[in-house]
Amino acid sequence: LAKVEKAQKSKQRSLNLEDFDLIEFPDIILNCNSIRSLVLQRNKIPELPKEVGIHLRGLKYLSIQFNNFQSFPECLKHLTSLVSLNISHNPIRNLLEDLDSFKELKYLWCNSCGLTSLPKALGYLPKLETFGARNNEIGVLPDTVVNLKELK
């Protein structure tokens, strides 16, 4: 992908690969460790390699909505600098139990993910301001949501 190579060479801070018909995560992105914003929405990506959590630790914004993720990508828990995460419109069914590793997270969207419950760790995201979970089947909120003092 020429766009990724250009981002790597010029040390761009953002990379937008929206609607590129990607069927897998392009490993060359792992060499773009200067990017802070990565948009991979509207592709057909089913999973992220575990190396994402190692090589892209500086990511602050990640959008992987409208892909084919069947589960929450485990590697994301290592991206502790994330401020915004959009995983909407993927049939992931469950969020990470240790979601509280995202101490900087302000915006979390997981609309239309087939969620039926939320982990208690959701209530331990100290900076969470926006939580989108429309079009799921969540029956009960965890009692820890009362800890979300910044939630609007």
Side-chain angles (χ1 to χ4, degrees), residues 1 6 13 20 26 31 42 51-52 55-57 59 68 73 76 82 89-90 105 108 120 137:
L1 292 166
K6 181 182 175 189
R13 308 277 288 166
F20 268 57
N31 298 325
R42 297 189 185 282
E51 292 83 8
V52 165
H55 296 284
L56 301 179
R57 285 191 181 216
L59 272 183
N68 289 331
L76 296 185
L82 275 180
H89 301 278
N90 284 291
L105 200 63
L108 175 59
K120 286 187 177 289
E137 297 182 25

Side-chain angles (χ1 to χ4, degrees), residues 27-89:
D27 286 339
I28 190 171
I29 294 175
L30 297 173
N31 298 325
C32 299
N33 42 12
S34 64
I35 60 172
R36 298 297 172 253
S37 173
L38 179 58
V39 176
L40 294 170
Q41 62 196 38
R42 297 189 185 282
N43 284 290
K44 299 173 181 79
I45 301 170
E47 61 186 3
L48 296 176
K50 64 182 179 205
E51 292 83 8
V52 165
I54 298 166
H55 296 284
L56 301 179
R57 285 191 181 216
L59 272 183
K60 296 201 177 291
Y61 175 88
L62 177 62
S63 178
I64 57 173
Q65 66 179 330
F66 291 102
N67 273 283
N68 289 331
F69 291 94
Q70 301 296 311
S71 61
F72 192 99
E74 283 279 328
C75 63
L76 296 185
K77 69 181 174 185
H78 301 291
L79 302 180
T80 56
S81 295
L82 275 180
V83 172
S84 178
L85 176 61
N86 192 335
I87 59 171
S88 297
H89 301 278

Side-chain angles (χ1 to χ4, degrees), residues 19-20 24 44 48 101 113 115 129:
D19 208 9
F20 268 57
E24 61 184 25
K44 299 173 181 79
L48 296 176
S101 62
C113 285
L115 300 176
E129 294 177 12

